[in-house]
Amino acid sequence: MSMFRRRTHQVPGLNTASLPDLIFSVLFFFMIVTHMQKVAVKVKYRVPQGTELTRLTKKTAVTYIYIGRPLVGSNQHLPSATRVQLNDKFVSGNEIVDYVSAEQNRMSPDDRMQMTVSIKADVNTPMGIISDVKQSLRQAKALRISYSAEEVKK
């Protein structure tokens, strides 16, 4: 005879009743927090570095212009030439004026006064192309221009 009785302990089953609520809460959180990329960048650019940088405050009134060499596979005739991209297409100087004017007409009057054009250009972009873009922006009456850069790492 044994002095001690052996008891069989069973682990109670895991209650999964609240699991669907938890999954949907996490899914809803990520749907709210994340954002989708609006424009597929078709040019390759390395952001230049700077020291006296400030962040843009009102991003709803910002229009982006990408300048750089086309990515491989973008089916362009001149893959080595520097190109200007607005939204999802490559444009020339005259089309920049039309595009920026259309963007200004689309905005509310308050945003129109605060409209900033952000130029995201490659480090090796010739200054002549940037000057041409700036001249086009002057014709479109878009006088607030910012240049994208990253902080110099010390």
Side-chain angles (χ1 to χ4, degrees):
M1 235 186 335
S2 162
M3 288 182 67
F4 300 104
R5 277 197 227 162
R6 292 198 170 200
R7 293 186 190 175
T8 57
H9 293 286
Q10 290 184 341
V11 177
L14 183 64
N15 184 6
T16 59
S18 65
L19 192 59
D21 293 335
L22 178 69
I23 297 295
F24 284 121
S25 298
V26 171
L27 178 65
F28 185 70
F29 171 76
F30 284 116
M31 286 174 53
I32 297 296
V33 173
T34 59
H35 66 278
M36 301 298 287
Q37 185 177 5
K38 295 179 181 177
V39 176
V41 180
K42 296 180 182 178
V43 295
K44 176 175 39 175
Y45 68 95
R46 286 190 339 232
V47 180
Q49 295 183 340
T51 55
E52 303 297 322
L53 304 178
T54 59
R55 293 201 178 272
L56 293 173
T57 55
K58 192 170 184 181
K59 295 205 178 200
T60 58
V62 177
T63 301
Y64 295 97
I65 296 177
Y66 300 95
I67 304 173
R69 297 184 189 277
L71 293 173
V72 177
S74 60
N75 298 330
Q76 296 300 317
H77 302 300
L78 303 171
S80 63
T82 302
R83 304 295 303 269
V84 178
Q85 178 188 345
L86 293 170
N87 279 344
D88 289 330
K89 65 178 184 173
F90 294 113
V91 296
S92 63
N94 297 338
E95 294 172 302
I96 293 173
V97 175
D98 297 337
Y99 174 79
V100 172
S101 297
E103 284 288 314
Q104 286 175 339
N105 292 337
R106 181 187 59 81
M107 292 181 178
S108 68
D110 293 335
D111 285 347
R112 194 175 302 148
M113 296 301 292
Q114 298 295 321
M115 180 182 179
T116 303
V117 177
S118 178
I119 297 176
K120 293 188 173 193
D122 186 48
V123 173
N124 300 320
T125 300
M127 197 60 199
I129 294 174
I130 293 177
S131 296
D132 293 342
V133 169
K134 285 173 58 178
Q135 290 296 328
S136 299
L137 292 173
R138 283 185 192 140
Q139 290 175 0
K141 304 283 190 280
L143 303 178
R144 296 181 107 190
I145 301 172
S146 72
Y147 299 94
S148 294
E150 64 183 16
E151 189 92 29
V152 175
K153 296 178 183 171
K154 296 177 183 179

